[in-house]
């Protein structure tokens, strides 16, 4: 569905915290190769491989000076006007273009939203949720958590909850810290505030749980290797190169998934993956993956809820 049509016709209700986890309705094309289905059910409905996509929603929360960008550094005493316009692209073009692409391929994603970006672009944040995607926490402001006091962390996370819930009608249950760098207090604060998972861990290719405040807390691993901000900016790579990286990663994980639980994570950012050529390559990859038998795309809250109820996911103390 084109987003312009959606805006004028939608009556979809926001997704509430209390709703039961529902597996995404994704049409799974039969693979062209003969592939044996794993005899042990590693995932719900005997899915072979789960892929989870993030769409970071950050435009509008960046600082006036010093924000990361493709432009060379400028003396901090001057306003960096083109950098601000580069970020605006994520709101004006990037997210809308990606939303239409997610609809074309029939998947739902997790959008980690900075609270200030939600405040500045409330209609777009609400549209993301109304189109069936997850709104997750990414802090209230564009600043690192690792240097915050416990009081500052708690206040920032609560403000993020309040902002997202007020604007989108749904309460975030997942969290992503600034560049994955939380503090020793982060998980305890998140657990206290009602979050059920975080993604700031790149140590596995499958979900797992950790014990926090005497209760299990889900970890839905994030990605650096399949992250557009890393692949395109430090160092830069081509669209064709990134597409091949995604396919290679998928091929190995899909093979491994015949004998163990495997998950693939992909990260997109509003102003980076929202440009035309990169939307094209992400769509091409998704269609490539969907041709294989047993591939399912899931939101991270769905994965976390399942991991917390499943008896055989890895657990770390």
């Amino acid at each position: 569905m084109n987003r312009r049509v959606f805006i004028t016709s939608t009556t979809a209700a926001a997704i509430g915290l209390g709703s039961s986890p529902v597996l995404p309705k994704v049409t799974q094309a039969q693979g062209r190769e003969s592939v044996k289905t794993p005899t042990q059910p590693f995932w719900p409905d005997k899915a072979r491989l789960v892929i989870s996509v993030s769409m970071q929603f950050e435009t509008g929360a960046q600082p006036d000076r010093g924000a990361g960008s493709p432009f060379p550094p400028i003396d901090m005493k001057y306003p960096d006007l083109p950098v601000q316009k580069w970020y605006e692209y994520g709101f004006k073009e990037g997210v809308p273009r990606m939303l239409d692409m997610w609809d074309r391929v029939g998947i739902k994603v997790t959008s980690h939203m900075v609270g200030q970006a939600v405040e500045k672009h409330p209609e777009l944040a609400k549209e993301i949720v109304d189109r069936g995607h997850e709104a997750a926490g990414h802090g209230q402001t564009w600043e690192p958590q690792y240097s915050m006091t416990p009081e500052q962390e708690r206040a920032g996370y609560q403000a993020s909850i309040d902002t997202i819930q007020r604007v989108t009608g749904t309460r975030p249950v997942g969290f992503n810290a600034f560049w994955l760098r939380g503090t020793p207090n982060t998980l305890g604060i998140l657990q206290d505030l009602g979050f059920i998972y975080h993604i700031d861990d790149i140590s596995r290719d499958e979900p797992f749980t950790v014990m926090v405040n005497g209760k299990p807390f889900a970890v839905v691993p994030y990605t650096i290797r399949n992250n557009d901000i890393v692949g395109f900016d430090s160092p830069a790579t081509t669209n064709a190169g990134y597409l091949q990286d995604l396919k290679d990663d998928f091929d190995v994980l899909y093979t491994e998934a015949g004998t163990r639980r495997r998950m693939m994570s992909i990260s997109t950012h509003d102003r980076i993956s929202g440009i035309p050529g990169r939307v094209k390559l992400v769509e091409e990859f998704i269609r490539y993956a969907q041709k294989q038998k047993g591939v399912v795309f899931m939101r991270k809250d769905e994965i976390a809820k399942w991991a917390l109820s499943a008896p055989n996911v890895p657990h770390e103390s």
Side-chain angles (χ1 to χ4, degrees):
M1 178 187 297
N2 184 277
R3 73 181 297 265
R4 277 76 187 176
V5 175
F6 174 87
I7 292 171
T8 59
S9 63
T10 184
T11 56
I15 299 172
L17 172 63
S19 60
S20 59
V22 178
L23 290 178
K25 297 179 180 178
V26 178
T27 300
Q28 299 174 23
Q30 294 295 313
R32 288 169 291 184
E33 300 179 4
S34 177
V35 179
K36 292 183 179 179
T37 301
T39 55
Q40 181 179 347
F42 299 119
W43 289 102
D45 293 343
K46 296 183 179 180
R48 181 183 177 100
L49 174 66
V50 166
I51 302 177
S52 186
V53 180
S54 297
M55 180 178 67
Q56 309 300 87
F57 183 37
E58 301 170 336
T59 295
Q62 74 278 359
D64 293 335
R65 292 170 171 82
S69 78
F71 293 92
I74 188 175
D75 192 312
M76 292 285 284
K77 69 183 179 181
Y78 301 112
D80 203 344
L81 301 180
V83 168
Q84 297 305 311
K85 294 302 178 182
W86 183 70
Y87 277 90
E88 284 183 22
Y89 189 93
F91 154 64
K92 295 175 178 177
E93 303 285 357
V95 171
R97 183 175 288 121
M98 286 193 284
L99 285 175
D100 285 346
M101 187 265 287
W102 307 138
D103 279 352
R104 285 196 301 273
V105 295
I107 74 169
K108 304 303 179 186
V109 306
T110 293
S111 183
H112 291 278
M113 301 179 172
V114 180
Q116 285 184 343
V118 173
E119 289 177 340
K120 290 188 177 181
H121 310 297
E123 293 182 357
L124 185 56
K126 181 67 163 56
E127 181 183 350
I128 291 171
V129 170
D130 284 350
R131 292 176 77 155
H133 306 292
E134 176 194 2
H138 197 21
Q140 178 64 12
T141 60
W142 186 288
E143 57 183 315
Q145 281 81 29
Y146 62 82
S147 57
M148 292 182 177
T149 66
E151 294 75 21
Q152 290 171 328
E153 273 198 273
R154 183 179 296 272
Y157 303 158
Q158 184 63 62
S160 173
I161 293 171
D162 295 343
T163 297
I164 293 173
Q165 191 163 22
R166 182 182 71 254
V167 170
T168 71
T170 186
R171 186 200 188 284
V173 298
F175 180 76
N176 172 210
F178 184 89
W179 273 107
L180 315 186
R181 291 179 170 133
T183 75
N185 305 300
T186 298
L187 297 191
I189 295 171
L190 293 174
Q191 179 91 285
D192 286 345
L193 292 176
F195 289 87
I196 65 170
Y197 79 92
H198 81 127
I199 69 169
D200 301 325
D201 192 311
I202 55 175
S203 66
R204 290 183 185 267
D205 288 318
E206 64 180 312
F208 61 100
T209 62
V210 294
M211 197 63 67
V212 179
N213 295 335
K215 298 185 295 183
F217 192 78
V219 182
V220 183
Y222 195 52
T223 178
I224 294 298
R225 64 183 187 270
N226 296 327
N227 191 316
D228 61 358
I229 202 168
V230 175
F232 284 110
D233 291 336
S234 56
T237 190
T238 64
N239 289 349
Y242 185 50
L243 175 60
Q244 190 60 54
D245 286 346
L246 292 177
K247 289 180 176 180
D248 290 344
D249 209 65
F250 171 85
D251 290 345
V252 173
L253 290 173
Y254 189 77
T255 299
E256 292 179 353
T259 57
R260 60 187 299 196
R261 183 181 297 111
R262 299 283 78 184
M263 171 190 147
M264 181 176 181
S265 180
I266 300 171
S267 177
T268 65
H269 288 70
D270 45 20
R271 71 267 180 201
I272 299 174
S273 283
I275 69 173
R278 293 175 191 173
V279 166
K280 179 178 182 290
L281 81 83
V282 173
E283 180 171 352
E284 183 174 341
F285 168 75
I286 292 171
R287 294 192 186 280
Y288 172 83
Q290 288 176 329
K291 291 177 181 178
Q292 308 307 314
K293 187 181 299 183
V295 174
V296 175
F297 287 78
M298 294 176 67
R299 298 175 3 167
K300 289 176 171 57
D301 58 341
E302 294 170 332
I303 296 172
K305 291 173 183 176
W306 174 80
L308 288 170
S309 65
N312 60 347
V313 300
H315 176 76
E316 298 182 2
S317 58

